[in-house]
Amino acid sequence: MRSGRRSRRPPHCPNEACDSHARPGPWRFTRKGFFSRERAPRRIQRYRCQHCGRNFSSQTFSPTYWKKRPDLLRRVFFGSLACSGFRQIARELGVAHSTIQAAVEHLGRHCLLLHETLRPRGAPAEPLVLDGFRTFEYGQYWPFDLNLLVGISHYVYGFNDAELPRSGAQTPAQRRKGQAIRATYGRPDPRATRRAVTELAMRTIPKGETAEIHSDEHPHYAAALGRLPDRTIAHHTISSKAARTSRNPLFPVNLADLLLRHDGANHKRETIAFSKRRQGALYRAAIWQVWRNYMKSRSERRRDPPPAVAIGVLERRLSFEDVMEGRRFPWRVGLTGWLSECYFGRIPTRRMPRIRHHDLRYAV
Ligand SMILES: [Zn+2]
């Protein structure tokens, strides 16, 4: 990854269906002059693919493609990590709340693709820790877990979501309301956690490999990890009552939980900035994951390199400019399953049956 000017040669045809991707030999394109616009860069090179005829430009490969305010992205990126609600960020920048939301979604999708491109493809070379970070969408009646798989280096290998039934102390009135809500919108799948943990572990640990995973004594974790097809997992459990110090084997996820809660306004307890949809929380988690893995020191006090450098995924820390270098295309990264659902905004919110998907034709 480089910062500075993008290479002058477009890397590939932006048309997913173009046969140039499958053909051997060089991809051929022609230059078709320039167009100018008011924002920098003002002069934009135009191209045409010789295989499929799609017209595109150098801006096609910029992550600010189709964004009216590319200058917002940097401030939204750090604002989403600095405990700000969308309305606070919008007020500070003098733009609509919906503009901030769109920018967070755009950054979240970009960060999902960046992490999928950079993460190790082999078996993790370190013990992993699994935990569910409890939060909620829409309102207190709709809790869900953000399941995290973190290395002892603090590298976050991946995350996903699992709907949960509401638990804990409730008044009789809350219990009645909960029953009425479930009668209308249906109840969470009781196997959601088991399914999610299976998906996350299979995504992180390749077929035929072994891994060591530490977690608390959640019975669904044991059920999922004990029956992973084609993988061997050494699963160690630690009581959730054990002291949460740096000597606790669950320390990496306890710290990740703390950072998520500390940095994201949507996860603060008793907040009104909670995510209306867990899809929104997942996009923010994708931004947080990139920041945690590739940008942030493992220890702020020591200013040491980020986790990705510690495990040899990168040689040096990434800046925001590095992170945003080059637009990424979902079909080139090859997203499948949960990742694809999350990328395209298809993670449902039971309370909002008619949700908006991300299905723009070109600005994917
Ligand atoms: Zn083409």
Side-chain angles (χ1 to χ4, degrees), residues 13 15 18 20 27 49 51-52:
C13 177
N15 177 8
C18 173
S20 68
W27 171 51
C49 175
H51 297 271
C52 70

Side-chain angles (χ1 to χ4, degrees), residues 12-21 27-28 48-54 56:
H12 55 82
C13 177
N15 177 8
E16 178 177 2
C18 173
D19 69 354
S20 68
H21 304 303
W27 171 51
R28 292 209 304 277
R48 180 184 168 91
C49 175
Q50 286 195 12
H51 297 271
C52 70
R54 166 76 63 89
F56 59 97

Side-chain angles (χ1 to χ4, degrees), residues 89 102 138 167 268:
I89 304 176
Y138 199 87
S167 60
K268 293 265 183 217

Side-chain angles (χ1 to χ4, degrees), residues 18 65 67 92 185 187 195 208 220 223 232 262 286-287 303 333:
C18 173
Y65 177 71
K67 283 285 148 198
E92 183 201 327
Y185 299 102
R187 55 184 69 239
R195 287 187 172 168
H220 289 189
T232 312
H262 178 71
I287 297 172
R303 294 294 299 154
V333 176

